[in-house]
Amino acid sequence: MNLKLNLVVITLSLVMLSEVSALQCNEGIINNLLKLASCPTNMLPKLHAISPATIATLDDSGTHRVFKCAEATFHAPQHNKGNASFTAYFRDQSKAPLQTFYSHEEVGCGHLHQSHDGEHFNAYMLLVDKIGCFYRCPIAPTEGIGSAGAIVPIHHQNDLDVKAQLLTCKLALAAAGFLDALIDVDTCAAPTVPRLNVLGIGL
């Protein structure tokens, strides 16, 4: 765990106000995240840099029992706005993947506004470096529950520094007041590069 990430966890611990429930859009968690001394910026370019990404950690809300894995691509932003595509693959392979297209606007200090199909969400990003650590909740009148977790670059998901930051993400979210269980979920595999066949010999 590097010094920068240690400082984030320590800062979050200092600003934690009280124990709060995870699976709600909780102002206590949001206030704690916004009080980060390191106030992260340029989230959209950083998310683009780790794309394509796959969800590696998620709150234990049961979603992982329905979906085998999920991946996201954050397209190059224009100023403080950008687009992203999200694909979730069902464990029941007879079902077609669920694909959603998002628009993002960076508000500041790690705060993103997300929208798709008339629904709106606030997302608060932490520690966007090797991974993207997030807390996300719906904005009225959109209904739903808050969620938290982490995405990792699909081509580097097994790197040791990525694994280390996943642990830091869990600690940071807990320090901010997200106390429900965060679990490691199945990730989407990186696409394989086809082998060349030269004169009938596989290379």
mmCIF file with all atom_site columns, all heavy atoms in Angstrom, residues 22-23 55-66 134 145-150 170 173 178-185:
data_model
loop_
_atom_site.group_PDB
_atom_site.id
_atom_site.type_symbol
_atom_site.label_atom_id
_atom_site.label_alt_id
_atom_site.label_comp_id
_atom_site.label_asym_id
_atom_site.label_entity_id
_atom_site.label_seq_id
_atom_site.pdbx_PDB_ins_code
_atom_site.Cartn_x
_atom_site.Cartn_y
_atom_site.Cartn_z
_atom_site.occupancy
_atom_site.B_iso_or_equiv
_atom_site.pdbx_formal_charge
_atom_site.auth_seq_id
_atom_site.auth_comp_id
_atom_site.auth_asym_id
_atom_site.auth_atom_id
_atom_site.pdbx_PDB_model_num
ATOM 1   N N   . ALA A 1 22  ? -25.053 1.007   4.354   1.00 0.00 ? 22  ALA A N   1
ATOM 2   C CA  . ALA A 1 22  ? -24.439 1.100   3.040   1.00 0.00 ? 22  ALA A CA  1
ATOM 3   C C   . ALA A 1 22  ? -25.457 1.197   1.918   1.00 0.00 ? 22  ALA A C   1
ATOM 4   O O   . ALA A 1 22  ? -25.287 1.963   0.987   1.00 0.00 ? 22  ALA A O   1
ATOM 5   C CB  . ALA A 1 22  ? -23.551 -0.119  2.816   1.00 0.00 ? 22  ALA A CB  1
ATOM 6   N N   . LEU A 1 23  ? -26.513 0.402   1.990   1.00 0.00 ? 23  LEU A N   1
ATOM 7   C CA  . LEU A 1 23  ? -27.381 0.261   0.833   1.00 0.00 ? 23  LEU A CA  1
ATOM 8   C C   . LEU A 1 23  ? -28.479 1.315   0.811   1.00 0.00 ? 23  LEU A C   1
ATOM 9   O O   . LEU A 1 23  ? -29.656 1.029   0.683   1.00 0.00 ? 23  LEU A O   1
ATOM 10  C CB  . LEU A 1 23  ? -27.951 -1.158  0.791   1.00 0.00 ? 23  LEU A CB  1
ATOM 11  C CG  . LEU A 1 23  ? -26.885 -2.239  0.585   1.00 0.00 ? 23  LEU A CG  1
ATOM 12  C CD1 . LEU A 1 23  ? -27.532 -3.609  0.551   1.00 0.00 ? 23  LEU A CD1 1
ATOM 13  C CD2 . LEU A 1 23  ? -26.101 -1.997  -0.690  1.00 0.00 ? 23  LEU A CD2 1
ATOM 14  N N   . ILE A 1 55  ? -15.657 -4.974  -13.222 1.00 0.00 ? 55  ILE A N   1
ATOM 15  C CA  . ILE A 1 55  ? -15.957 -4.867  -11.797 1.00 0.00 ? 55  ILE A CA  1
ATOM 16  C C   . ILE A 1 55  ? -15.275 -6.015  -11.058 1.00 0.00 ? 55  ILE A C   1
ATOM 17  O O   . ILE A 1 55  ? -15.414 -7.179  -11.431 1.00 0.00 ? 55  ILE A O   1
ATOM 18  C CB  . ILE A 1 55  ? -17.472 -4.891  -11.546 1.00 0.00 ? 55  ILE A CB  1
ATOM 19  C CG1 . ILE A 1 55  ? -18.118 -3.616  -12.112 1.00 0.00 ? 55  ILE A CG1 1
ATOM 20  C CG2 . ILE A 1 55  ? -17.776 -5.005  -10.055 1.00 0.00 ? 55  ILE A CG2 1
ATOM 21  C CD1 . ILE A 1 55  ? -19.618 -3.548  -11.907 1.00 0.00 ? 55  ILE A CD1 1
ATOM 22  N N   . ALA A 1 56  ? -14.543 -5.672  -9.995  1.00 0.00 ? 56  ALA A N   1
ATOM 23  C CA  . ALA A 1 56  ? -13.819 -6.679  -9.220  1.00 0.00 ? 56  ALA A CA  1
ATOM 24  C C   . ALA A 1 56  ? -14.333 -6.796  -7.794  1.00 0.00 ? 56  ALA A C   1
ATOM 25  O O   . ALA A 1 56  ? -14.219 -7.854  -7.177  1.00 0.00 ? 56  ALA A O   1
ATOM 26  C CB  . ALA A 1 56  ? -12.323 -6.352  -9.198  1.00 0.00 ? 56  ALA A CB  1
ATOM 27  N N   . THR A 1 57  ? -14.872 -5.714  -7.260  1.00 0.00 ? 57  THR A N   1
ATOM 28  C CA  . THR A 1 57  ? -15.395 -5.686  -5.891  1.00 0.00 ? 57  THR A CA  1
ATOM 29  C C   . THR A 1 57  ? -16.738 -4.985  -5.903  1.00 0.00 ? 57  THR A C   1
ATOM 30  O O   . THR A 1 57  ? -16.914 -3.982  -6.591  1.00 0.00 ? 57  THR A O   1
ATOM 31  C CB  . THR A 1 57  ? -14.420 -4.944  -4.955  1.00 0.00 ? 57  THR A CB  1
ATOM 32  O OG1 . THR A 1 57  ? -13.175 -5.636  -4.926  1.00 0.00 ? 57  THR A OG1 1
ATOM 33  C CG2 . THR A 1 57  ? -14.970 -4.858  -3.543  1.00 0.00 ? 57  THR A CG2 1
ATOM 34  N N   . LEU A 1 58  ? -17.700 -5.525  -5.132  1.00 0.00 ? 58  LEU A N   1
ATOM 35  C CA  . LEU A 1 58  ? -19.045 -4.966  -5.119  1.00 0.00 ? 58  LEU A CA  1
ATOM 36  C C   . LEU A 1 58  ? -19.687 -5.269  -3.770  1.00 0.00 ? 58  LEU A C   1
ATOM 37  O O   . LEU A 1 58  ? -19.327 -6.244  -3.105  1.00 0.00 ? 58  LEU A O   1
ATOM 38  C CB  . LEU A 1 58  ? -19.877 -5.585  -6.244  1.00 0.00 ? 58  LEU A CB  1
ATOM 39  C CG  . LEU A 1 58  ? -21.149 -4.867  -6.697  1.00 0.00 ? 58  LEU A CG  1
ATOM 40  C CD1 . LEU A 1 58  ? -20.825 -3.478  -7.242  1.00 0.00 ? 58  LEU A CD1 1
ATOM 41  C CD2 . LEU A 1 58  ? -21.863 -5.693  -7.758  1.00 0.00 ? 58  LEU A CD2 1
ATOM 42  N N   . ASP A 1 59  ? -20.653 -4.413  -3.367  1.00 0.00 ? 59  ASP A N   1
ATOM 43  C CA  . ASP A 1 59  ? -21.373 -4.712  -2.139  1.00 0.00 ? 59  ASP A CA  1
ATOM 44  C C   . ASP A 1 59  ? -22.218 -5.970  -2.336  1.00 0.00 ? 59  ASP A C   1
ATOM 45  O O   . ASP A 1 59  ? -22.643 -6.289  -3.443  1.00 0.00 ? 59  ASP A O   1
ATOM 46  C CB  . ASP A 1 59  ? -22.256 -3.531  -1.724  1.00 0.00 ? 59  ASP A CB  1
ATOM 47  C CG  . ASP A 1 59  ? -23.207 -3.106  -2.830  1.00 0.00 ? 59  ASP A CG  1
ATOM 48  O OD1 . ASP A 1 59  ? -24.262 -3.743  -2.981  1.00 0.00 ? 59  ASP A OD1 1
ATOM 49  O OD2 . ASP A 1 59  ? -22.875 -2.151  -3.546  1.00 0.00 ? 59  ASP A OD2 1
ATOM 50  N N   . ASP A 1 60  ? -22.447 -6.677  -1.249  1.00 0.00 ? 60  ASP A N   1
ATOM 51  C CA  . ASP A 1 60  ? -23.116 -7.981  -1.313  1.00 0.00 ? 60  ASP A CA  1
ATOM 52  C C   . ASP A 1 60  ? -24.632 -7.801  -1.382  1.00 0.00 ? 60  ASP A C   1
ATOM 53  O O   . ASP A 1 60  ? -25.367 -8.152  -0.465  1.00 0.00 ? 60  ASP A O   1
ATOM 54  C CB  . ASP A 1 60  ? -22.727 -8.818  -0.093  1.00 0.00 ? 60  ASP A CB  1
ATOM 55  C CG  . ASP A 1 60  ? -23.167 -10.271 -0.233  1.00 0.00 ? 60  ASP A CG  1
ATOM 56  O OD1 . ASP A 1 60  ? -23.654 -10.642 -1.315  1.00 0.00 ? 60  ASP A OD1 1
ATOM 57  O OD2 . ASP A 1 60  ? -23.025 -11.027 0.745   1.00 0.00 ? 60  ASP A OD2 1
ATOM 58  N N   . SER A 1 61  ? -25.112 -7.251  -2.520  1.00 0.00 ? 61  SER A N   1
ATOM 59  C CA  . SER A 1 61  ? -26.546 -7.015  -2.705  1.00 0.00 ? 61  SER A CA  1
ATOM 60  C C   . SER A 1 61  ? -27.210 -8.112  -3.520  1.00 0.00 ? 61  SER A C   1
ATOM 61  O O   . SER A 1 61  ? -28.411 -8.058  -3.776  1.00 0.00 ? 61  SER A O   1
ATOM 62  C CB  . SER A 1 61  ? -26.765 -5.662  -3.396  1.00 0.00 ? 61  SER A CB  1
ATOM 63  O OG  . SER A 1 61  ? -26.106 -5.644  -4.652  1.00 0.00 ? 61  SER A OG  1
ATOM 64  N N   . GLY A 1 62  ? -26.442 -9.109  -3.947  1.00 0.00 ? 62  GLY A N   1
ATOM 65  C CA  . GLY A 1 62  ? -27.001 -10.226 -4.697  1.00 0.00 ? 62  GLY A CA  1
ATOM 66  C C   . GLY A 1 62  ? -26.841 -10.119 -6.195  1.00 0.00 ? 62  GLY A C   1
ATOM 67  O O   . GLY A 1 62  ? -27.122 -11.073 -6.926  1.00 0.00 ? 62  GLY A O   1
ATOM 68  N N   . THR A 1 63  ? -26.383 -8.974  -6.684  1.00 0.00 ? 63  THR A N   1
ATOM 69  C CA  . THR A 1 63  ? -26.222 -8.787  -8.128  1.00 0.00 ? 63  THR A CA  1
ATOM 70  C C   . THR A 1 63  ? -25.289 -9.828  -8.725  1.00 0.00 ? 63  THR A C   1
ATOM 71  O O   . THR A 1 63  ? -25.527 -10.336 -9.829  1.00 0.00 ? 63  THR A O   1
ATOM 72  C CB  . THR A 1 63  ? -25.678 -7.375  -8.416  1.00 0.00 ? 63  THR A CB  1
ATOM 73  O OG1 . THR A 1 63  ? -26.550 -6.411  -7.828  1.00 0.00 ? 63  THR A OG1 1
ATOM 74  C CG2 . THR A 1 63  ? -25.583 -7.125  -9.910  1.00 0.00 ? 63  THR A CG2 1
ATOM 75  N N   . HIS A 1 64  ? -24.229 -10.166 -7.987  1.00 0.00 ? 64  HIS A N   1
ATOM 76  C CA  . HIS A 1 64  ? -23.233 -11.105 -8.511  1.00 0.00 ? 64  HIS A CA  1
ATOM 77  C C   . HIS A 1 64  ? -23.793 -12.511 -8.688  1.00 0.00 ? 64  HIS A C   1
ATOM 78  O O   . HIS A 1 64  ? -23.200 -13.334 -9.378  1.00 0.00 ? 64  HIS A O   1
ATOM 79  C CB  . HIS A 1 64  ? -22.020 -11.148 -7.578  1.00 0.00 ? 64  HIS A CB  1
ATOM 80  C CG  . HIS A 1 64  ? -22.328 -11.680 -6.214  1.00 0.00 ? 64  HIS A CG  1
ATOM 81  N ND1 . HIS A 1 64  ? -23.030 -10.950 -5.279  1.00 0.00 ? 64  HIS A ND1 1
ATOM 82  C CD2 . HIS A 1 64  ? -22.048 -12.870 -5.628  1.00 0.00 ? 64  HIS A CD2 1
ATOM 83  C CE1 . HIS A 1 64  ? -23.162 -11.668 -4.176  1.00 0.00 ? 64  HIS A CE1 1
ATOM 84  N NE2 . HIS A 1 64  ? -22.584 -12.828 -4.357  1.00 0.00 ? 64  HIS A NE2 1
ATOM 85  N N   . ARG A 1 65  ? -24.936 -12.792 -8.067  1.00 0.00 ? 65  ARG A N   1
ATOM 86  C CA  . ARG A 1 65  ? -25.543 -14.114 -8.234  1.00 0.00 ? 65  ARG A CA  1
ATOM 87  C C   . ARG A 1 65  ? -26.310 -14.213 -9.554  1.00 0.00 ? 65  ARG A C   1
ATOM 88  O O   . ARG A 1 65  ? -26.576 -15.304 -10.041 1.00 0.00 ? 65  ARG A O   1
ATOM 89  C CB  . ARG A 1 65  ? -26.471 -14.416 -7.059  1.00 0.00 ? 65  ARG A CB  1
ATOM 90  C CG  . ARG A 1 65  ? -25.750 -14.451 -5.714  1.00 0.00 ? 65  ARG A CG  1
ATOM 91  C CD  . ARG A 1 65  ? -26.693 -14.810 -4.576  1.00 0.00 ? 65  ARG A CD  1
ATOM 92  N NE  . ARG A 1 65  ? -26.005 -14.765 -3.298  1.00 0.00 ? 65  ARG A NE  1
ATOM 93  C CZ  . ARG A 1 65  ? -25.948 -13.700 -2.519  1.00 0.00 ? 65  ARG A CZ  1
ATOM 94  N NH1 . ARG A 1 65  ? -26.547 -12.584 -2.896  1.00 0.00 ? 65  ARG A NH1 1
ATOM 95  N NH2 . ARG A 1 65  ? -25.295 -13.736 -1.367  1.00 0.00 ? 65  ARG A NH2 1
ATOM 96  N N   . VAL A 1 66  ? -26.672 -13.066 -10.112 1.00 0.00 ? 66  VAL A N   1
ATOM 97  C CA  . VAL A 1 66  ? -27.408 -13.018 -11.380 1.00 0.00 ? 66  VAL A CA  1
ATOM 98  C C   . VAL A 1 66  ? -26.456 -12.843 -12.557 1.00 0.00 ? 66  VAL A C   1
ATOM 99  O O   . VAL A 1 66  ? -26.612 -13.480 -13.599 1.00 0.00 ? 66  VAL A O   1
ATOM 100 C CB  . VAL A 1 66  ? -28.442 -11.873 -11.359 1.00 0.00 ? 66  VAL A CB  1
ATOM 101 C CG1 . VAL A 1 66  ? -29.175 -11.782 -12.692 1.00 0.00 ? 66  VAL A CG1 1
ATOM 102 C CG2 . VAL A 1 66  ? -29.426 -12.067 -10.215 1.00 0.00 ? 66  VAL A CG2 1
ATOM 103 N N   . PHE A 1 134 ? -15.387 3.343   -5.922  1.00 0.00 ? 134 PHE A N   1
ATOM 104 C CA  . PHE A 1 134 ? -16.540 4.231   -6.053  1.00 0.00 ? 134 PHE A CA  1
ATOM 105 C C   . PHE A 1 134 ? -17.622 3.986   -5.005  1.00 0.00 ? 134 PHE A C   1
ATOM 106 O O   . PHE A 1 134 ? -17.749 2.902   -4.442  1.00 0.00 ? 134 PHE A O   1
ATOM 107 C CB  . PHE A 1 134 ? -17.172 4.076   -7.440  1.00 0.00 ? 134 PHE A CB  1
ATOM 108 C CG  . PHE A 1 134 ? -17.776 2.711   -7.695  1.00 0.00 ? 134 PHE A CG  1
ATOM 109 C CD1 . PHE A 1 134 ? -19.078 2.428   -7.322  1.00 0.00 ? 134 PHE A CD1 1
ATOM 110 C CD2 . PHE A 1 134 ? -17.036 1.705   -8.309  1.00 0.00 ? 134 PHE A CD2 1
ATOM 111 C CE1 . PHE A 1 134 ? -19.643 1.176   -7.547  1.00 0.00 ? 134 PHE A CE1 1
ATOM 112 C CE2 . PHE A 1 134 ? -17.578 0.451   -8.544  1.00 0.00 ? 134 PHE A CE2 1
ATOM 113 C CZ  . PHE A 1 134 ? -18.888 0.183   -8.157  1.00 0.00 ? 134 PHE A CZ  1
ATOM 114 N N   . ILE A 1 145 ? -31.031 1.831   -4.844  1.00 0.00 ? 145 ILE A N   1
ATOM 115 C CA  . ILE A 1 145 ? -30.204 1.808   -3.645  1.00 0.00 ? 145 ILE A CA  1
ATOM 116 C C   . ILE A 1 145 ? -28.789 2.237   -3.990  1.00 0.00 ? 145 ILE A C   1
ATOM 117 O O   . ILE A 1 145 ? -28.365 2.174   -5.144  1.00 0.00 ? 145 ILE A O   1
ATOM 118 C CB  . ILE A 1 145 ? -30.176 0.404   -3.006  1.00 0.00 ? 145 ILE A CB  1
ATOM 119 C CG1 . ILE A 1 145 ? -29.660 -0.631  -4.020  1.00 0.00 ? 145 ILE A CG1 1
ATOM 120 C CG2 . ILE A 1 145 ? -31.556 0.021   -2.483  1.00 0.00 ? 145 ILE A CG2 1
ATOM 121 C CD1 . ILE A 1 145 ? -29.509 -2.025  -3.457  1.00 0.00 ? 145 ILE A CD1 1
ATOM 122 N N   . GLY A 1 146 ? -28.064 2.676   -2.983  1.00 0.00 ? 146 GLY A N   1
ATOM 123 C CA  . GLY A 1 146 ? -26.670 3.008   -3.176  1.00 0.00 ? 146 GLY A CA  1
ATOM 124 C C   . GLY A 1 146 ? -25.837 1.750   -3.335  1.00 0.00 ? 146 GLY A C   1
ATOM 125 O O   . GLY A 1 146 ? -26.228 0.659   -2.918  1.00 0.00 ? 146 GLY A O   1
ATOM 126 N N   . SER A 1 147 ? -24.692 1.885   -3.957  1.00 0.00 ? 147 SER A N   1
ATOM 127 C CA  . SER A 1 147 ? -23.789 0.749   -4.121  1.00 0.00 ? 147 SER A CA  1
ATOM 128 C C   . SER A 1 147 ? -22.353 1.246   -4.022  1.00 0.00 ? 147 SER A C   1
ATOM 129 O O   . SER A 1 147 ? -22.087 2.440   -4.121  1.00 0.00 ? 147 SER A O   1
ATOM 130 C CB  . SER A 1 147 ? -24.022 0.046   -5.463  1.00 0.00 ? 147 SER A CB  1
ATOM 131 O OG  . SER A 1 147 ? -23.769 0.933   -6.543  1.00 0.00 ? 147 SER A OG  1
ATOM 132 N N   . ALA A 1 148 ? -21.449 0.313   -3.825  1.00 0.00 ? 148 ALA A N   1
ATOM 133 C CA  . ALA A 1 148 ? -20.033 0.664   -3.734  1.00 0.00 ? 148 ALA A CA  1
ATOM 134 C C   . ALA A 1 148 ? -19.210 -0.499  -4.249  1.00 0.00 ? 148 ALA A C   1
ATOM 135 O O   . ALA A 1 148 ? -19.668 -1.644  -4.280  1.00 0.00 ? 148 ALA A O   1
ATOM 136 C CB  . ALA A 1 148 ? -19.652 1.004   -2.296  1.00 0.00 ? 148 ALA A CB  1
ATOM 137 N N   . GLY A 1 149 ? -17.992 -0.198  -4.657  1.00 0.00 ? 149 GLY A N   1
ATOM 138 C CA  . GLY A 1 149 ? -17.126 -1.259  -5.152  1.00 0.00 ? 149 GLY A CA  1
ATOM 139 C C   . GLY A 1 149 ? -15.931 -0.697  -5.878  1.00 0.00 ? 149 GLY A C   1
ATOM 140 O O   . GLY A 1 149 ? -15.522 0.446   -5.651  1.00 0.00 ? 149 GLY A O   1
ATOM 141 N N   . ALA A 1 150 ? -15.387 -1.500  -6.784  1.00 0.00 ? 150 ALA A N   1
ATOM 142 C CA  . ALA A 1 150 ? -14.189 -1.090  -7.509  1.00 0.00 ? 150 ALA A CA  1
ATOM 143 C C   . ALA A 1 150 ? -14.159 -1.732  -8.885  1.00 0.00 ? 150 ALA A C   1
ATOM 144 O O   . ALA A 1 150 ? -14.588 -2.874  -9.065  1.00 0.00 ? 150 ALA A O   1
ATOM 145 C CB  . ALA A 1 150 ? -12.933 -1.468  -6.736  1.00 0.00 ? 150 ALA A CB  1
ATOM 146 N N   . LYS A 1 170 ? -11.444 -1.104  -0.086  1.00 0.00 ? 170 LYS A N   1
ATOM 147 C CA  . LYS A 1 170 ? -12.369 -1.620  0.927   1.00 0.00 ? 170 LYS A CA  1
ATOM 148 C C   . LYS A 1 170 ? -12.172 -0.898  2.257   1.00 0.00 ? 170 LYS A C   1
ATOM 149 O O   . LYS A 1 170 ? -13.141 -0.531  2.938   1.00 0.00 ? 170 LYS A O   1
ATOM 150 C CB  . LYS A 1 170 ? -12.152 -3.122  1.110   1.00 0.00 ? 170 LYS A CB  1
ATOM 151 C CG  . LYS A 1 170 ? -12.511 -3.957  -0.111  1.00 0.00 ? 170 LYS A CG  1
ATOM 152 C CD  . LYS A 1 170 ? -12.152 -5.421  0.123   1.00 0.00 ? 170 LYS A CD  1
ATOM 153 C CE  . LYS A 1 170 ? -12.387 -6.266  -1.113  1.00 0.00 ? 170 LYS A CE  1
ATOM 154 N NZ  . LYS A 1 170 ? -11.989 -7.678  -0.914  1.00 0.00 ? 170 LYS A NZ  1
ATOM 155 N N   . LEU A 1 173 ? -13.558 2.789   1.944   1.00 0.00 ? 173 LEU A N   1
ATOM 156 C CA  . LEU A 1 173 ? -15.016 2.861   1.973   1.00 0.00 ? 173 LEU A CA  1
ATOM 157 C C   . LEU A 1 173 ? -15.552 2.590   3.378   1.00 0.00 ? 173 LEU A C   1
ATOM 158 O O   . LEU A 1 173 ? -16.496 3.237   3.834   1.00 0.00 ? 173 LEU A O   1
ATOM 159 C CB  . LEU A 1 173 ? -15.613 1.877   0.966   1.00 0.00 ? 173 LEU A CB  1
ATOM 160 C CG  . LEU A 1 173 ? -15.460 2.280   -0.506  1.00 0.00 ? 173 LEU A CG  1
ATOM 161 C CD1 . LEU A 1 173 ? -15.802 1.108   -1.423  1.00 0.00 ? 173 LEU A CD1 1
ATOM 162 C CD2 . LEU A 1 173 ? -16.339 3.482   -0.836  1.00 0.00 ? 173 LEU A CD2 1
ATOM 163 N N   . PHE A 1 178 ? -19.156 3.192   4.937   1.00 0.00 ? 178 PHE A N   1
ATOM 164 C CA  . PHE A 1 178 ? -19.826 2.125   4.182   1.00 0.00 ? 178 PHE A CA  1
ATOM 165 C C   . PHE A 1 178 ? -19.472 0.808   4.858   1.00 0.00 ? 178 PHE A C   1
ATOM 166 O O   . PHE A 1 178 ? -18.408 0.242   4.632   1.00 0.00 ? 178 PHE A O   1
ATOM 167 C CB  . PHE A 1 178 ? -19.355 2.136   2.726   1.00 0.00 ? 178 PHE A CB  1
ATOM 168 C CG  . PHE A 1 178 ? -20.207 1.306   1.810   1.00 0.00 ? 178 PHE A CG  1
ATOM 169 C CD1 . PHE A 1 178 ? -21.181 1.897   1.026   1.00 0.00 ? 178 PHE A CD1 1
ATOM 170 C CD2 . PHE A 1 178 ? -20.050 -0.066  1.737   1.00 0.00 ? 178 PHE A CD2 1
ATOM 171 C CE1 . PHE A 1 178 ? -21.977 1.134   0.181   1.00 0.00 ? 178 PHE A CE1 1
ATOM 172 C CE2 . PHE A 1 178 ? -20.838 -0.836  0.899   1.00 0.00 ? 178 PHE A CE2 1
ATOM 173 C CZ  . PHE A 1 178 ? -21.804 -0.232  0.118   1.00 0.00 ? 178 PHE A CZ  1
ATOM 174 N N   . LEU A 1 179 ? -20.372 0.316   5.700   1.00 0.00 ? 179 LEU A N   1
ATOM 175 C CA  . LEU A 1 179 ? -20.033 -0.791  6.580   1.00 0.00 ? 179 LEU A CA  1
ATOM 176 C C   . LEU A 1 179 ? -20.605 -2.133  6.140   1.00 0.00 ? 179 LEU A C   1
ATOM 177 O O   . LEU A 1 179 ? -20.319 -3.153  6.760   1.00 0.00 ? 179 LEU A O   1
ATOM 178 C CB  . LEU A 1 179 ? -20.492 -0.476  8.008   1.00 0.00 ? 179 LEU A CB  1
ATOM 179 C CG  . LEU A 1 179 ? -19.878 0.801   8.609   1.00 0.00 ? 179 LEU A CG  1
ATOM 180 C CD1 . LEU A 1 179 ? -20.346 0.987   10.038  1.00 0.00 ? 179 LEU A CD1 1
ATOM 181 C CD2 . LEU A 1 179 ? -18.360 0.770   8.533   1.00 0.00 ? 179 LEU A CD2 1
ATOM 182 N N   . ASP A 1 180 ? -21.422 -2.154  5.086   1.00 0.00 ? 180 ASP A N   1
ATOM 183 C CA  . ASP A 1 180 ? -21.908 -3.436  4.588   1.00 0.00 ? 180 ASP A CA  1
ATOM 184 C C   . ASP A 1 180 ? -20.767 -4.183  3.894   1.00 0.00 ? 180 ASP A C   1
ATOM 185 O O   . ASP A 1 180 ? -19.771 -3.590  3.489   1.00 0.00 ? 180 ASP A O   1
ATOM 186 C CB  . ASP A 1 180 ? -23.069 -3.228  3.618   1.00 0.00 ? 180 ASP A CB  1
ATOM 187 C CG  . ASP A 1 180 ? -24.356 -2.877  4.351   1.00 0.00 ? 180 ASP A CG  1
ATOM 188 O OD1 . ASP A 1 180 ? -24.260 -2.265  5.427   1.00 0.00 ? 180 ASP A OD1 1
ATOM 189 O OD2 . ASP A 1 180 ? -25.435 -3.203  3.851   1.00 0.00 ? 180 ASP A OD2 1
ATOM 190 N N   . ALA A 1 181 ? -20.937 -5.478  3.754   1.00 0.00 ? 181 ALA A N   1
ATOM 191 C CA  . ALA A 1 181 ? -19.869 -6.317  3.212   1.00 0.00 ? 181 ALA A CA  1
ATOM 192 C C   . ALA A 1 181 ? -19.542 -5.941  1.772   1.00 0.00 ? 181 ALA A C   1
ATOM 193 O O   . ALA A 1 181 ? -20.430 -5.740  0.947   1.00 0.00 ? 181 ALA A O   1
ATOM 194 C CB  . ALA A 1 181 ? -20.282 -7.781  3.284   1.00 0.00 ? 181 ALA A CB  1
ATOM 195 N N   . LEU A 1 182 ? -18.258 -5.846  1.485   1.00 0.00 ? 182 LEU A N   1
ATOM 196 C CA  . LEU A 1 182 ? -17.766 -5.696  0.118   1.00 0.00 ? 182 LEU A CA  1
ATOM 197 C C   . LEU A 1 182 ? -17.081 -7.000  -0.254  1.00 0.00 ? 182 LEU A C   1
ATOM 198 O O   . LEU A 1 182 ? -16.201 -7.478  0.466   1.00 0.00 ? 182 LEU A O   1
ATOM 199 C CB  . LEU A 1 182 ? -16.782 -4.529  0.016   1.00 0.00 ? 182 LEU A CB  1
ATOM 200 C CG  . LEU A 1 182 ? -17.391 -3.136  0.173   1.00 0.00 ? 182 LEU A CG  1
ATOM 201 C CD1 . LEU A 1 182 ? -16.298 -2.099  0.367   1.00 0.00 ? 182 LEU A CD1 1
ATOM 202 C CD2 . LEU A 1 182 ? -18.239 -2.785  -1.037  1.00 0.00 ? 182 LEU A CD2 1
ATOM 203 N N   . ILE A 1 183 ? -17.487 -7.589  -1.364  1.00 0.00 ? 183 ILE A N   1
ATOM 204 C CA  . ILE A 1 183 ? -16.971 -8.904  -1.736  1.00 0.00 ? 183 ILE A CA  1
ATOM 205 C C   . ILE A 1 183 ? -16.283 -8.845  -3.090  1.00 0.00 ? 183 ILE A C   1
ATOM 206 O O   . ILE A 1 183 ? -16.585 -7.999  -3.931  1.00 0.00 ? 183 ILE A O   1
ATOM 207 C CB  . ILE A 1 183 ? -18.097 -9.957  -1.766  1.00 0.00 ? 183 ILE A CB  1
ATOM 208 C CG1 . ILE A 1 183 ? -19.162 -9.572  -2.804  1.00 0.00 ? 183 ILE A CG1 1
ATOM 209 C CG2 . ILE A 1 183 ? -18.726 -10.116 -0.387  1.00 0.00 ? 183 ILE A CG2 1
ATOM 210 C CD1 . ILE A 1 183 ? -20.210 -10.642 -3.012  1.00 0.00 ? 183 ILE A CD1 1
ATOM 211 N N   . ASP A 1 184 ? -15.339 -9.745  -3.288  1.00 0.00 ? 184 ASP A N   1
ATOM 212 C CA  . ASP A 1 184 ? -14.696 -9.895  -4.586  1.00 0.00 ? 184 ASP A CA  1
ATOM 213 C C   . ASP A 1 184 ? -15.621 -10.709 -5.484  1.00 0.00 ? 184 ASP A C   1
ATOM 214 O O   . ASP A 1 184 ? -16.106 -11.774 -5.091  1.00 0.00 ? 184 ASP A O   1
ATOM 215 C CB  . ASP A 1 184 ? -13.349 -10.592 -4.434  1.00 0.00 ? 184 ASP A CB  1
ATOM 216 C CG  . ASP A 1 184 ? -12.357 -9.767  -3.628  1.00 0.00 ? 184 ASP A CG  1
ATOM 217 O OD1 . ASP A 1 184 ? -12.456 -8.528  -3.667  1.00 0.00 ? 184 ASP A OD1 1
ATOM 218 O OD2 . ASP A 1 184 ? -11.501 -10.364 -2.950  1.00 0.00 ? 184 ASP A OD2 1
ATOM 219 N N   . VAL A 1 185 ? -15.886 -10.204 -6.676  1.00 0.00 ? 185 VAL A N   1
ATOM 220 C CA  . VAL A 1 185 ? -16.791 -10.872 -7.611  1.00 0.00 ? 185 VAL A CA  1
ATOM 221 C C   . VAL A 1 185 ? -16.008 -11.366 -8.819  1.00 0.00 ? 185 VAL A C   1
ATOM 222 O O   . VAL A 1 185 ? -14.855 -10.979 -9.036  1.00 0.00 ? 185 VAL A O   1
ATOM 223 C CB  . VAL A 1 185 ? -17.922 -9.919  -8.059  1.00 0.00 ? 185 VAL A CB  1
ATOM 224 C CG1 . VAL A 1 185 ? -18.770 -9.503  -6.867  1.00 0.00 ? 185 VAL A CG1 1
ATOM 225 C CG2 . VAL A 1 185 ? -17.363 -8.685  -8.765  1.00 0.00 ? 185 VAL A CG2 1
#
